[in-house]
Amino acid sequence: MAREVHGPDFDSSSEDIDGEIVMRVGGGKKHGRYWIGDGVINTASTATLSQIQARSTDSSPAIRLRPTIGQFQMEALQAQVEAARKQQEEMAARMEQMVQRRLEAERQRMEEENRMRMDQMFQYMQNFASSMGQSLPPPSMLFPPPQPPTTTPNQSAASNNEDQDLSQWSPWPPWI
């Protein structure tokens, strides 16, 4: 506030304490004491809070209420709560990323396992058909390549699969 009143070049370390500014910042004298600099300020030459209020205009610096211990404690508590909330959000984001990575790894593992089973099944069918003097079409015709998962942004793959119409699906190739 001293820079607001005296200009941006005001140096509080080399200038005297302005009693009126202390009165404005501290909301007057509480219990007969200034908020800061009580022993340094000349009380005889400093106007009272009511005198300062009487001569204040809209362009004068505002008279502030002196913060209480409870306000300081409340601000500190709010800062702690905000820090804890931010930490919790960061942890939740890290957990979500970890879950997504694990789900993707599990999906890839299952696709590979299914591909191996299908290859084994095709090999068995090919051996069986050749023992009967028949031949099978290539595996790409029997087993089409897997489709990439189609999920919407706020929907999991599991819930997306629940909505699919499987009434036309057949486990058999179309020529059987």
Side-chain angles (χ1 to χ4, degrees), residues 105-120:
E106 181 65 15
R107 185 189 64 76
Q108 288 175 355
R109 185 193 65 76
M110 289 180 71
E111 281 182 4
E112 181 62 30
E113 190 175 295
N114 286 342
R115 179 61 52 198
M116 285 177 27
R117 285 183 183 153
M118 291 174 93
D119 289 345
Q120 289 172 350

Side-chain angles (χ1 to χ4, degrees), residues 38-58:
D38 186 56
V40 179
I41 298 172
N42 183 358
T43 57
S45 64
T46 303
T48 64
L49 189 59
S50 58
Q51 291 170 339
I52 293 171
Q53 287 172 334
R55 68 173 185 239
S56 290
T57 63
D58 291 339

Side-chain angles (χ1 to χ4, degrees), residues 4-146:
E4 182 181 330
V5 172
H6 298 295
D9 297 334
F10 182 79
D11 183 16
S12 59
S13 63
S14 63
E15 301 287 335
D16 290 337
I17 295 176
D18 187 339
E20 184 172 331
I21 292 174
V22 172
M23 290 288 281
R24 286 181 180 277
V25 170
K29 291 173 79 173
K30 304 290 182 182
H31 307 289
R33 296 188 167 273
Y34 293 104
W35 189 32
I36 56 172
D38 186 56
V40 179
I41 298 172
N42 183 358
T43 57
S45 64
T46 303
T48 64
L49 189 59
S50 58
Q51 291 170 339
I52 293 171
Q53 287 172 334
R55 68 173 185 239
S56 290
T57 63
D58 291 339
S59 62
S60 299
I63 297 174
R64 303 177 190 164
L65 294 176
R66 186 181 297 192
T68 63
I69 300 271
Q71 288 171 328
F72 284 125
Q73 291 172 340
M74 182 60 86
E75 289 172 4
L77 185 59
Q78 286 174 341
Q80 288 176 346
V81 167
E82 181 63 25
R85 184 193 58 77
K86 187 174 181 179
Q87 183 180 15
Q88 185 179 17
E89 286 175 355
E90 290 170 355
M91 189 181 303
R94 285 194 307 266
M95 289 292 289
E96 179 66 25
Q97 289 174 349
M98 187 171 66
V99 166
Q100 290 301 324
R101 283 193 304 266
R102 285 186 179 177
L103 285 174
E104 180 61 24
E106 181 65 15
R107 185 189 64 76
Q108 288 175 355
R109 185 193 65 76
M110 289 180 71
E111 281 182 4
E112 181 62 30
E113 190 175 295
N114 286 342
R115 179 61 52 198
M116 285 177 27
R117 285 183 183 153
M118 291 174 93
D119 289 345
Q120 289 172 350
M121 185 171 55
F122 179 75
Q123 187 67 37
Y124 172 78
M125 289 170 47
Q126 200 172 30
N127 290 342
F128 183 74
S130 66
S131 70
M132 297 181 66
Q134 303 288 325
S135 66
L136 291 176
S140 61
M141 294 184 73
L142 284 175
F143 309 113

Side-chain angles (χ1 to χ4, degrees), residues 104 107 111 146-152 157 160-161 164:
E104 180 61 24
R107 185 189 64 76
E111 281 182 4
Q147 300 268 336
T150 56
T151 59
T152 55
N160 194 28
N161 290 337
Q164 292 181 358

